[in-house]
Amino acid sequence: DAKTTQPNSMESNEEEPVHLPCNHSTISGTDYIHWYRQLPSQGPEYVIHGLTSNVNNRMASLAIAEDRKSSTLILHRATLRDAAVYYCILDSGGSNYKLTFGKGTLLTVNP
Amino acid sequence: DVKVTQSSRYLVKRTGEKVFLECVQDMDHENMFWYRQDPGLGLRLIYFSYDVKMKEKGDIPEGYSVSREKKERFSLILESASTNQTSMYLCASRLGDLLRETQYFGPGTRLLVL
């Protein structure tokens, strides 16, 4: 399975943008890039996903490098409720489908 | 909104007991998953099911079994609980794999085996 690499932790100030990086140098052409986050004492929740083009939704933006070997999750204005562990995951799909979660990045948001 | 519910938020069991963890989803999803989450190890896939009565082993199936008799319900069974199965257990579901839809997670069951 293709693996991802993320920083263990990052810190941000409230109402500032946050850029969470993810490296996936062994990504294959059909792998989708998914981002999930996990708030304290909750199950993970979906944030965003993409294949090649940059993606935007109400929660965040996903910027995918041209060679697809890295991506960045962008929170445009961090709030205290965005403090969570953020997981970058590659989805290979298929009948043997499974998502491999790494350890993620713990985002701390300072007031 | 998709809803994934798990039968208990907290469970305390004794070593050797048979333990059932139940998961129910209300959106007619094809795929369902069981993960466990431990500090420093992230989420690890135990089993998944892509249809009723169908199951596939994940990364750490030893000591566990699963049952999917109905589409909406996926059960995780610890045949003889051991202390090293103390963990947070997370259930998830997904519509199918064709369009790479997202997974929806339940709130988790924190299991303590004494």
Side-chain angles (χ1 to χ4, degrees):
Chain A
D1 290 339
K3 295 287 188 271
T4 63
T5 304
Q6 300 175 254
N8 289 332
S9 62
M10 290 186 66
E11 210 167 312
S12 173
N13 295 319
E14 205 174 4
E15 301 203 357
E16 289 184 358
V18 182
H19 290 234
L20 296 163
C22 181
N23 288 320
H24 28 78
S25 57
T26 59
I27 191 170
S28 74
T30 56
D31 285 345
Y32 276 72
I33 303 157
H34 284 244
W35 283 81
Y36 285 76
R37 72 179 186 181
Q38 187 172 20
L39 280 66
S41 301
Q42 295 188 27
E45 64 174 349
Y46 167 79
V47 178
I48 200 166
H49 77 289
L51 182 62
T52 56
S53 303
N54 294 344
V55 184
N56 300 296
N57 67 21
R58 63 176 180 80
M59 289 180 72
S61 296
L62 176 60
I64 301 172
E66 199 167 329
D67 64 5
R68 301 208 329 124
K69 292 185 176 182
S70 65
S71 60
T72 302
L73 179 70
I74 302 164
L75 307 179
H76 296 286
R77 290 183 67 201
T79 70
L80 297 178
R81 287 177 293 180
D82 291 322
V85 177
Y86 286 79
Y87 297 98
C88 168
I89 301 147
L90 298 182
D91 174 7
S92 302
S95 59
N96 288 325
Y97 169 89
K98 60 180 182 180
L99 290 180
T100 300
F101 283 76
K103 297 179 184 177
T105 297
L106 174 63
L107 175 65
T108 301
V109 180
N110 300 313
Chain B
D1 277 353
V2 175
K3 195 165 185 182
V4 179
T5 56
Q6 296 183 228
S7 50
S8 306
R9 290 300 302 271
Y10 302 95
L11 268 182
V12 180
K13 297 291 181 181
R14 297 211 173 271
T15 301
E17 278 193 76
K18 191 168 186 175
V19 182
F20 291 87
L21 301 181
E22 300 279 321
C23 175
V24 178
Q25 50 93 2
D26 65 357
M27 286 300 292
D28 203 34
H29 283 178
E30 299 280 341
N31 302 155
M32 296 188 74
F33 309 83
W34 274 107
Y35 296 87
R36 65 176 281 178
Q37 184 172 32
D38 301 288
L41 295 176
L43 275 78
R44 293 179 291 167
L45 182 65
I46 305 171
Y47 266 99
F48 67 100
S49 167
Y50 50 91
D51 202 349
V52 175
K53 296 191 187 296
M54 306 303 288
K55 60 186 179 185
E56 290 272 351
K57 293 180 180 180
D59 297 317
I60 50 164
E62 297 78 18
Y64 303 94
S65 62
V66 289
S67 172
R68 190 153 180 219
E69 296 297 317
K70 293 184 178 181
K71 194 173 188 178
E72 67 270 19
R73 189 179 297 269
F74 192 35
S75 302
L76 181 70
I77 303 152
L78 287 65
E79 294 289 343
S80 178
S82 63
T83 54
N84 63 12
Q85 292 178 310
T86 291
S87 186
M88 166 73 92
Y89 290 88
L90 289 157
C91 175
S93 75
R94 189 175 76 149
L95 180 61
D97 69 1
L98 190 61
L99 296 177
R100 314 291 182 87
E101 297 91 357
T102 65
Q103 285 193 3
Y104 296 87
F105 284 83
T109 296
R110 196 169 289 280
L111 173 66
L112 172 62
V113 182
L114 300 174

